[in-house]
Amino acid sequence: MQIAIDGPAGAGKSTIAKMVAAQLNIVYLDTGAMYRAITYAALSHRLDFDDTAAVAALAETAVIRFEGRQVFLNDEDVTAAIRDPEVSRFTSKVAVIPEVRALLVAQQQKIAGDTDVIMDGRDIGSVVLPEADYKFYLDATVEERARRRFDELKEKGQLGDKTLAAIEADIAQRDYNDAHRDVGPLVCCDDAVRVDTTGLDIPDVCAAILKAIGEDCR
Ligand code: CDP
Ligand code: CDP
C-alpha cells in the first residue's frame, strides 16, 4: 500500500501520517527530514548554498537512515539538529536543486518499492508516488498553521523571542518558495483528496483520512 500526503508547513501532515501509519501498521517516511538532513550536512561543511554543485556532491555521499523516530546522517543522530530554525530557513535553498531532488526521490521510491508506506512531503502524490493508492492534500489557513507552530514551540520551551507574526511570515515565505520552484513544486494533484483542517482537531482529521481509505479508527 502507498499513501501520499502533501501540503504546506503546519498543515498537520507528519502528525496525521504517524497516526495513520500506527493504525495500519505500515512505515511512515518523513521526506522533509531527508531535505533537512542534507541542509544540515551542508551547514556543517560550511558550504555556500548558491554553489549547487557542491551541495549536490555532498548529497551524493550522505547516508540518511531512519530508526523509529530518530534520523541518522552518516551514523550521526541528527533528529533534533534538523529542526533547528537555521536548517528550516536554508532547506528551501537545498530543495530547489534538481540533482538533490532526483537523488532523494529515488531513495524514497526505493523504500516504497520494498514496503507498505505512508509518506509526507510536497511532491509525493505528483512525483514520488504518482500511482499511490491514496493521495491526500492537507491544508489550513496560514494564520492557523502559524498558531499551531507557535503553540508547539511554546509547549517545547523553544519559542525564544519569536512572535506569532514572525512565524507566520516565515511559513508564508516557505509556502511561496515551495509552490514556485521549477522541480517538484508543492501542488494539490487532481486525484488527491483535499482536506481543509482549519478548525479541525487532530483526531477529526485522522478519522476523515482513515474513513477515506476504508478503515475505522481503533
Ligand atoms: O514539517 P515542515 O512542514 O516544517 O517541513 P518539512 O516537511 O520538514 O519540510 C521542510 C522543507 O523541505 C519544505 O519546506 C520543503 O522546502 C522541503 N521539502 C521538499 O521540497 N519536498 C519534500 N517532499 C519534503 C520537504
Ligand atoms: O508536518 P506538518 O508541517 O504539516 O505539520 P505537523 O508538524 O504535523 O503539525 C504542526 C502542529 O500543528 C503540531 O504541533 C500539531 O500537533 C498541530 N496540529 C493541530 O493542532 N491540529 C491539526 N489538525 C493538525 C496539527
Side-chain angles (χ1 to χ4, degrees):
M1 179 186 303
Q2 296 182 340
I3 305 175
I5 305 213
D6 291 299
K13 301 180 298 298
S14 61
T15 306
I16 303 299
K18 275 179 213 156
M19 292 174 79
V20 173
Q23 291 259 0
L24 301 182
N25 198 22
I26 61 175
V27 168
Y28 162 57
L29 186 70
D30 175 359
T31 66
M34 300 173 79
Y35 289 90
R36 286 173 178 271
I38 302 298
T39 307
Y40 170 81
L43 281 166
S44 305
H45 283 78
R46 299 181 188 283
L47 295 188
D48 172 359
F49 285 93
D50 292 325
D51 185 354
T52 58
V55 178
L58 182 66
E60 286 276 355
T61 66
V63 179
I64 301 166
R65 182 166 55 82
F66 291 89
E67 247 180 58
R69 296 202 168 178
Q70 286 167 295
V71 188
F72 292 84
L73 170 73
N74 303 328
D75 288 330
E76 177 188 350
D77 183 347
V78 295
T79 315
I82 61 170
R83 304 289 156 195
D84 190 273
E86 205 186 3
V87 173
S88 302
R89 193 145 43 85
F90 284 106
T91 301
S92 45
K93 288 219 150 215
V94 168
V96 295
I97 304 174
E99 294 83 357
V100 173
R101 298 204 72 84
L103 192 76
L104 295 186
V105 167
Q107 291 176 15
Q108 292 152 12
Q109 289 174 333
K110 163 99 181 56
I111 293 167
D114 293 342
T115 184
D116 289 343
V117 71
I118 179 164
M119 271 188 210
D120 77 327
R122 303 294 187 285
D123 59 343
I124 309 303
S126 57
V127 176
V128 183
L129 305 175
E131 305 299 328
D133 302 282
Y134 301 99
K135 296 182 186 179
F136 297 96
Y137 185 92
L138 299 189
D139 208 351
T141 60
V142 69
E143 293 81 8
E144 171 140 348
R145 292 184 286 115
R147 196 174 38 73
R148 289 175 185 171
R149 277 281 195 263
F150 182 87
D151 291 346
E152 188 180 6
L153 291 172
K154 198 168 165 190
E155 202 180 299
K156 290 182 180 162
Q158 295 170 350
L159 194 54
D161 56 5
K162 279 192 238 41
T163 62
L164 180 61
I167 291 174
E168 188 178 319
D170 274 357
I171 286 184
Q173 182 65 56
R174 197 138 64 86
D175 289 351
Y176 182 88
N177 293 345
D178 286 341
H180 289 84
R181 62 172 167 249
D182 291 337
V183 190
L186 170 66
V187 283
C188 177
C189 299
D190 290 343
D191 55 350
V193 176
R194 188 180 195 122
V195 183
D196 183 352
T197 71
T198 310
L200 293 185
D201 63 16
I202 292 164
D204 287 341
V205 181
C206 190
I209 289 197
L210 286 170
K211 191 170 172 219
I213 59 183
E215 284 274 329
D216 287 331
C217 277
R218 273 178 241 149

